[in-house]
Amino acid sequence: MLRITDARSGETVDAAPVRRGLTRVEAHVTDPGPGALRVLLVADLLVRTLELGGTPVWGLLTEAPGQPADPGLPALRAAGAALGMRPFEDSRDIGLGLGEVQVVHVAAEGAETPDGVRVADAPVHLDGAGGTAFPDPARDPAAVRLALLSPPRDAPARLDTAVLDAAHDTLVRWRRAVAGWAAHPSRPVPDAMRTRLRSAWEDDLDVPEVLRVLALVEGTGGLADGARFETYAYADRLLGLDLTLGVGAGA
């Protein structure tokens, strides 16, 4: 079961205290820039993790209270969709969901949110400085997603050229490897790797540890290629990086 650090109390709590009870994940944005994109990404990870654990989830996108509809929100939604995020409903004029037992608020550090469990995200810097624009749309969106996934959630993320180039190179290498492994007979995800992956993403959304496990799987000798493929495909249910994109395409 997913355990998450509540930014209000500093304590670790169950993200879904009732496994089959509806959990609302509410992403709060104050300005639709790169920081808001990270908020949306963390909310997307929460939704994915809860769904992997069998919990029904309702994802909402909320603007700052008392503010008119921000004209930048369509761009934020489009950027989120490009990065493989699930669509989030507009929270305006929406009350409690039927059977809702938990609300998890996702917001930038220092942002105000209603009462409830709160997940805080560190800021995003473009080219080594603050910025309000989204990353270069010419970039592979999955590389941008990987760059945002790589640092811990409570550490600032940088989307400079070096970081994005490194993410792109890793993504190309992994997709090429996955396509090659797919040509071999399938093998189950090794129990030890499955346990490490689930333990990582259920431990306060420790995505950097998930990425370290994939690097280990890539470099460990004696592991069947079919098992490597299944491990990457399994982890990608959380990561959303389209790691199997090259399968069957001669990659």
Side-chain angles (χ1 to χ4, degrees):
M1 179 176 292
L2 173 61
R3 301 273 291 170
I4 200 80
T5 299
D6 184 352
R8 294 180 188 280
S9 64
E11 298 179 353
T12 303
V13 299
D14 290 335
V18 179
R19 181 168 182 169
R20 298 296 177 182
L22 177 65
T23 296
R24 186 203 315 183
V25 174
E26 195 162 342
H28 297 262
V29 299
T30 54
D31 60 86
L37 195 61
R38 192 181 200 186
V39 168
L40 209 57
L41 176 59
V42 171
D44 179 68
L45 293 173
L46 272 168
V47 170
R48 288 170 180 263
T49 303
L50 290 167
E51 288 180 341
L52 284 168
T55 298
V57 191
W58 185 24
L60 297 176
L61 176 59
T62 301
E63 300 174 72
Q67 298 296 319
D70 194 312
L73 279 181
L76 173 63
R77 289 185 181 277
L83 267 62
M85 299 180 205
R86 312 290 180 85
F88 283 72
E89 293 184 48
D90 190 334
S91 71
R92 289 174 180 266
D93 302 322
I94 291 180
L96 290 176
L98 183 63
E100 182 176 295
V101 298
Q102 174 79 302
V103 180
V104 180
H105 302 283
V106 185
E109 288 179 347
E112 293 294 329
T113 61
D115 291 340
V117 177
R118 179 182 168 194
V119 177
D121 305 323
V124 177
H125 302 300
L126 302 180
D127 294 323
T132 57
F134 292 120
D136 183 355
R139 289 273 183 181
D140 181 348
V144 178
R145 183 178 176 107
L146 178 57
L148 287 171
L149 290 172
S150 296
R153 191 179 66 249
D154 58 356
R158 293 191 178 277
L159 295 182
D160 57 30
T161 300
V163 168
L164 290 169
D165 285 348
H168 176 266
D169 291 347
T170 297
L171 192 62
V172 168
R173 187 181 77 250
W174 280 357
R175 284 175 172 172
R176 184 175 295 126
V178 168
W181 298 333
H184 295 265
S186 178
R187 295 289 185 271
V189 178
D191 289 342
M193 295 303 177
R194 184 185 295 272
T195 298
R196 284 190 62 176
L197 287 170
R198 289 199 71 95
S199 296
W201 69 55
E202 290 183 349
D203 180 15
D204 202 24
L205 287 179
D206 190 356
V207 178
E209 174 63 14
V210 173
L211 298 175
R212 285 190 288 269
V213 172
L214 292 189
L216 177 65
V217 170
E218 179 187 22
T220 297
L223 190 61
D225 286 343
R228 296 184 207 271
F229 170 80
E230 295 296 345
T231 302
Y232 270 63
Y234 177 64
D236 204 36
R237 294 172 64 187
L238 171 79
L239 299 174
L241 296 173
D242 289 332
L243 296 178
T244 62
L245 187 64
V247 174

